[in-house]
Amino acid sequence: MDGIGINALALILTLGLLNCVSLGECVPNAQPQVPCFFIFGDSLVDNGNNNGILTLARANYRPYGIDFPEGASGRFTNGKTIVDVLAQLLGFRGLIPPYATAQNNAILRGVNFASGASGLRRETGRNLGDHYHFAEQVEHFRSAIQTMKRNFKGNDTMLTDYLGKCIFYVGMGSNDYLNNYFMPNLYTTSYQYSQKAYSTILLQEYSQQLSQLYDLGVRKAAIVGLGQIGCIPYELARLNNNTNNNRTCNDNINKAIAIYNAGLLQMVKQFNTKPGAKFVYVNTFESSKDLVSNADTYGFSVIDKGCCGVGRNNGQITCLPYQTPCQDRTKYLFWDAFHPTEAANLIYAKKAYSSPSTSDVYPMNIQQLAIA
């Protein structure tokens, strides 16, 4: 930014002449690398779809969004989510809108269908209230396609070709463990199924819904694995309640997640045998291990507690309305009991987008997927 004053930079950003992931990383705006970007998922990427429904799984109040230009938009973090960053890295000028408020003319460039507390199973997350589970999100996409058809004069072939060039981000499964399997007082799944059997059932549902998306024209998809759920502040607070160690992860949960992720990778490989399919697996589990192991390198000094929350590890109760969060959010890996800070989301997004390592994203990164 040498030679550009703050006022001049603000004017350039206002005019849309630069695309910035951060103030230090601005590039001239050009056409997006793909025509559209569609998102399916849970609270990690929800950007406001839960705002208007009856649920505890919402984040449209301060201090959520304290570092976000639009304020408390419904994002479950202090600033950008991973898909906000990915959209910018892919060259989109504005944010991808939530399905709940998307205008018809905006759907062509992509929509975010994600919903906090959602899972692969229909009953998952019902302890928190209403939400849109994965099958409902797929149905919302089906409805969006009907809207898009009008722009293509009903030409299904042209629409299918168009969708085949777009990138689809899909991240499901966290709540099927957090707000289902590992909540035995409210759900019976842990009594009914072994960890292996449960992962098989989840992946069967996942595969069915992805098959529907494939039939609807999805060809380029980033399928996101689960991170180290056993190491989030919520689980640390529960596991370490009677100890003095704030950083002992729940290995039982992480083992269950590892079983699920291994099956998810195999599912991605299987989908890549379908004609035209180019699916990639985003290994969030390994990325999250890397961020913890090399916290200092990434600029994090607090990796075991939320920036905002209540109780041990700031993880026993999530961020309360108008609560005062930590002062320097860039030093914290977690924003609240469950969700990363914007600083962490920036790193996760960059790994998924441009990492050269297949241990981060397989068999190619999202930047390569865009041009594949």
Side-chain angles (χ1 to χ4, degrees), residues 61-323:
Y61 59 86
R62 296 297 291 265
Y64 287 93
I66 190 171
D67 300 310
F68 191 68
E70 296 180 8
S73 62
R75 289 165 170 80
F76 290 75
T77 185
N78 59 303
K80 298 184 184 76
T81 66
I82 184 173
V83 292
D84 290 329
V85 180
L86 282 172
Q88 290 181 290
L89 289 169
L90 286 167
F92 288 93
R93 289 193 179 191
L95 299 165
I96 302 299
Y99 177 71
T101 59
Q103 301 297 315
N104 289 347
N105 59 352
I107 292 178
L108 275 176
R109 63 190 290 274
V111 174
N112 187 328
F113 300 100
S115 175
S118 67
L120 294 160
R121 291 176 66 87
R122 271 80 170 160
E123 82 275 9
T124 287
R126 289 300 176 194
N127 53 297
L128 295 172
D130 293 339
H131 59 269
Y132 305 107
H133 56 69
F134 189 31
E136 288 178 297
Q137 293 179 35
V138 172
E139 288 307 306
H140 289 166
F141 176 60
R142 195 185 303 274
S143 297
I145 286 179
Q146 295 306 311
T147 300
M148 294 173 72
K149 277 186 178 181
R150 293 196 287 269
N151 293 280
F152 288 87
K153 312 294 184 186
N155 189 318
D156 290 346
T157 300
M158 287 181 63
L159 177 56
T160 300
D161 289 344
Y162 181 82
L163 291 174
K165 299 171 184 173
C166 302
I167 285 183
F168 293 77
Y169 177 103
V170 187
M172 299 298 306
S174 292
N175 287 301
D176 293 294
Y177 288 96
L178 279 170
N179 287 295
N180 193 324
Y181 193 78
F182 287 107
M183 198 171 275
N185 292 334
L186 295 176
Y187 297 93
T188 61
T189 46
S190 62
Y191 304 116
Q192 294 175 289
Y193 307 109
S194 67
Q195 291 181 2
K196 176 64 175 175
Y198 188 63
S199 71
T200 299
I201 289 171
L202 291 181
L203 292 168
Q204 286 173 346
E205 177 65 26
Y206 212 147
S207 182
Q208 289 175 11
Q209 298 304 327
L210 286 181
S211 293
Q212 290 195 45
L213 290 176
Y214 177 85
D215 291 341
L216 289 169
V218 174
R219 293 297 180 268
K220 297 183 178 185
I223 310 301
V224 183
L226 305 186
Q228 294 186 98
I229 292 177
C231 300
I232 64 175
Y234 174 73
E235 294 300 340
L236 296 181
R238 296 174 69 199
L239 186 67
N240 304 322
N241 193 41
N242 297 314
T243 73
N244 293 319
N245 185 353
N246 284 355
R247 186 54 203 173
T248 301
C249 296
N250 190 321
D251 290 334
N252 187 42
I253 293 180
N254 283 343
K255 287 176 182 177
I257 298 306
I259 294 170
Y260 172 85
N261 282 340
L264 190 61
L265 174 59
Q266 293 306 312
M267 186 185 72
V268 167
K269 291 179 178 179
Q270 185 62 37
F271 267 92
N272 281 335
T273 65
K274 293 178 176 288
K278 296 180 178 68
F279 284 25
V280 302
Y281 172 68
V282 180
N283 195 342
T284 309
F285 196 92
E286 287 302 315
S287 295
S288 61
K289 284 173 61 177
D290 179 40
L291 261 65
V292 170
S293 299
N294 300 291
D296 290 342
T297 302
Y298 290 111
F300 297 114
S301 58
V302 184
I303 60 173
D304 61 348
K305 63 182 66 174
C307 167
C308 186
V310 176
R312 183 180 293 273
N313 298 86
N314 273 353
Q316 291 178 299
I317 299 176
T318 194
C319 197
L320 299 175
Y322 301 105
Q323 183 178 357

